[in-house]
C-alpha cells in the first residue's frame, strides 16, 4: 500500500494552491504540514525544511518515496503517475498550449510579485510593483485565452493551465488589480471556482488558515 502523500504548504501560497487543486481533482488523499512563510521570520528558512527543499519554498510534496519541489513539476509527476482525470491533453498541440499558459503564469507573472521579491522593492513600492507585474502578464494572457478558451483555459476540459489561473487571479484581487479589463480571465475563473476541487483547496479552507480568513 502506498504511503499517504505529505504536502508542505502555506494557505496563501498560490503555488501551493496549484498543487492542492491538482491533488483534489485527482482525488488523492494527503496530509498537510503547514509552513508559515511569515511567522518566526519564515518557517521555510528552518534547517529542517531546507533539507527537504534547498530553495526554501513551498509547495514541497513527499510522495512515492521521493520529495518534489516546484509546483508544475509536482503536477506533471501526478499526471504521469495518476493520469485520471487528465490535466494535460493528449493532443500535442493542445498540450503545448496548456504548458505555455501554465509557464506564462508560473514563470512570467507569479515570481515577479512573490513575497521574496516584494521584500526587496520596499514597503511603499510593493503594491504598484505587484500590480505592474500582474497587469503586464494578464494583458498577454487575456489575448491568448481569447483564442484558446472554451469553458476553461484550453477548450472544455480542466487542465494544468486552469490549475495555475485561479490562484493567480486571487493574487490579482489581493493586489487590487482592476479585473474588468480581463473579461475572458474573469469568466473562466468564475466557472472554475464553482468546481469542488477549486473550493476545497481554497486558501480560506486550509488547516493553517487564520480564523478571521476562514470561510
Amino acid at each position: 500500500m502506498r504511503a499517504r502523500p505529505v504536502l508542505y504548504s502555506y494557505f496563501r501560497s498560490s503555488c501551493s494552491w496549484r498543487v492542492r487543486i491538482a491533488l483534489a481533482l485527482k482525488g488523492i488523499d494527503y496530509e498537510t504540514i503547514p509552513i508559515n512563510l511569515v511567522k518566526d521570520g519564515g518557517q521555510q528558512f528552518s534547517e529542517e525544511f531546507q533539507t527537504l527543499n534547498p530553495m526554501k519554498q513551498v509547495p514541497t510534496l513527499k510522495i512515492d518515496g521521493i520529495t518534489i519541489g516546484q509546483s508544475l513539476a509536482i503536477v506533471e509527476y501526478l499526471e504521469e503517475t495518476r493520469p485520471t482525470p487528465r490535466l494535460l491533453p493528449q493532443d500535442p498541440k493542445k498540450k503545448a498550449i496548456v504548458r505555455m499558459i501554465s509557464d506564462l503564469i508560473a514563470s512570467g507573472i507569479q515570481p515577479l510579485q512573490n513575497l521574496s521579491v516584494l521584500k526587496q522593492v520596499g514597503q511603499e513600492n510593493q503594491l504598484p510593483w505587484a500590480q505592474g507585474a500582474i497587469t503586464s502578464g494578464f494583458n498577454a494572457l487575456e489575448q491568448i485565452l481569447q483564442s484558446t478558451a472554451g469553458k476553461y483555459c484550453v477548450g472544455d476540459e480542466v487542465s494544468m493551465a486552469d490549475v495555475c489561473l485561479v490562484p493567480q487571479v486571487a493574487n490579482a484581487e489581493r493586489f487590487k488589480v482592476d479585473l474588468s479589463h480581463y473579461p475572458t480571465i474573469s469568466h473562466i475563473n468564475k466557472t472554475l471556482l464553482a468546481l469542488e476541487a477549486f473550493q476545497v483547496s481554497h486558501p480560506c479552507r486550509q488547516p493553517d488558515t487564520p480564523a478571521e480568513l476562514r470561510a
Side-chain angles (χ1 to χ4, degrees):
M1 187 176 153
R2 281 173 167 164
R4 194 173 175 218
V6 177
L7 178 67
Y8 295 81
S9 169
Y10 179 54
F11 80 101
R12 193 176 256 164
S13 153
S14 59
C15 301
S16 297
W17 189 5
R18 291 173 200 154
V19 174
R20 297 196 302 258
I21 295 166
L23 289 163
L25 284 167
K26 289 180 178 289
I28 300 167
D29 179 42
Y30 65 96
E31 177 191 351
T32 300
I33 295 184
I35 301 293
N36 193 311
L37 303 186
V38 182
K39 193 179 170 189
D40 308 326
Q43 294 173 347
Q44 71 275 29
F45 299 118
S46 74
E47 210 172 303
E48 184 189 0
F49 187 70
Q50 204 175 328
T51 58
L52 278 176
N53 188 325
M55 277 294 280
K56 298 170 270 208
Q57 293 174 338
V58 293
T60 301
L61 184 68
K62 276 185 172 176
I63 189 168
D64 302 340
I66 62 167
T67 303
I68 317 170
Q70 302 300 329
S71 59
L72 296 192
I74 294 170
V75 175
E76 294 253 11
Y77 178 78
L78 296 176
E79 183 71 0
E80 288 173 9
T81 57
R82 294 149 176 87
T84 314
R86 250 196 336 259
L87 294 178
L88 285 168
Q90 286 180 310
D91 176 70
K93 291 176 183 173
K94 283 187 179 174
K95 190 183 288 185
I97 290 166
V98 166
R99 284 182 167 136
M100 174 182 75
I101 293 167
S102 302
D103 279 339
L104 187 154
I105 295 168
S107 303
I109 304 177
Q110 191 276 333
L112 296 172
Q113 47 93 109
N114 200 10
L115 185 62
S116 58
V117 170
L118 293 181
K119 279 180 180 173
Q120 302 299 318
V121 300
Q123 190 74 42
E124 70 286 356
N125 298 319
Q126 287 183 0
L127 189 64
W129 175 280
Q131 287 173 337
I134 295 169
T135 299
S136 171
F138 272 17
N139 288 343
L141 184 59
E142 177 71 17
Q143 192 178 331
I144 290 165
L145 291 176
Q146 283 170 5
S147 62
T148 65
K151 197 174 175 184
Y152 306 118
C153 284
V154 181
D156 295 327
E157 285 186 21
V158 175
S159 71
M160 184 165 73
D162 301 295
V163 164
C164 294
L165 180 79
V166 167
Q168 189 56 54
V169 174
N171 283 348
E173 289 171 338
R174 203 162 104 234
F175 291 117
K176 301 178 174 63
V177 172
D178 181 0
L179 293 171
S180 66
H181 301 298
Y182 310 112
T184 315
I185 291 173
S186 298
H187 178 71
I188 296 168
N189 182 64
K190 188 179 175 184
T191 306
L192 288 164
L193 282 173
L195 303 178
E196 188 186 4
F198 288 81
Q199 293 173 6
V200 299
S201 59
H202 195 281
C204 70
R205 294 177 67 177
Q206 298 315 300
D208 56 328
T209 306
E212 67 274 14
L213 297 176
R214 287 194 166 276

